[in-house]
Amino acid sequence: MSEGGLEKCELCDSPGGEVIWENAICRVVLVADADYPGFCRVILNRHLREMTDLPHKERMQLMTVVFAVESAVRRLYQPDKVNLASLGNMTPHVHWHLIPRWRDDRQFPQPIWAATQRASAATPRQLVEGRQLGDQIIAALRIT
């Protein structure tokens, strides 16, 4: 439930994807999207609308996780680019999208929410289990 308990929040009411790593502050979920393997969200474990609503220390801890997930995704999937986005227009709950991008993906160079540029990726993508990605996130957090 969101602030004041009046509006429903899907990220408070559900995990938001397959949980592959979690701590007291946030969880990392794998988004089931065959076109974008490795697409993750880092979701705050309590309802706040904006990053600046978090105390500074927690803000830094959350971003450390975002950067660790990016490192893990880059290591495992070797994308041409990683898009980081914290939009929240549709779901006003602090969360970050980490989206691996390839030059031949369906929407490149546009955002994944834009019109499709091509039918499908020319190159098949490597599939990685959530557990393997979780292990890589842990490894990246150790060196951060």
Side-chain angles (χ1 to χ4, degrees):
M1 199 65 81
S2 71
E3 303 152 280
L6 296 176
E7 63 184 77
K8 298 215 30 103
C9 172
E10 78 177 79
L11 295 180
C12 289
D13 296 339
S14 74
E18 175 192 348
V19 178
I20 57 173
W21 183 89
E22 186 169 17
N23 70 5
I25 293 172
C26 63
R27 63 191 177 273
V28 178
V29 301
L30 193 55
V31 177
D33 188 328
D35 290 322
Y36 299 95
F39 180 170
C40 294
R41 287 188 193 105
V42 177
I43 303 169
L44 187 67
N45 279 339
R46 69 180 189 275
H47 190 85
L48 291 175
R49 297 175 66 89
E50 307 296 344
M51 285 289 293
T52 53
D53 292 338
L54 277 167
H56 182 343
K57 181 179 179 184
E58 289 182 45
R59 223 180 292 163
M60 296 303 105
Q61 291 170 331
L62 181 66
M63 292 313 297
T64 296
V65 174
V66 169
F67 301 143
V69 174
E70 179 183 310
S71 293
V73 165
R74 289 182 66 198
R75 187 175 304 113
L76 288 171
Y77 294 93
Q78 300 178 350
D80 296 317
K81 179 73 177 91
V82 175
N83 291 169
L84 296 176
S86 179
L87 306 168
N89 295 335
M90 299 298 291
T91 307
H93 177 122
V94 171
H95 66 287
W96 285 85
H97 299 267
L98 289 99
I99 309 161
R101 300 298 307 273
W102 293 270
R103 287 182 185 93
D104 66 347
D105 72 38
R106 290 171 51 100
Q107 278 87 6
F108 198 87
Q110 303 302 318
I112 68 166
W113 298 282
T116 300
Q117 304 292 312
R118 58 199 60 79
S120 63
T123 309
R125 305 289 177 232
Q126 177 179 342
L127 297 178
V128 175
E129 292 181 8
R131 193 171 107 213
Q132 186 179 5
L133 183 53
D135 290 345
Q136 287 296 315
I137 292 166
I138 292 166
L141 284 167
R142 282 188 187 130
I143 60 173
T144 303

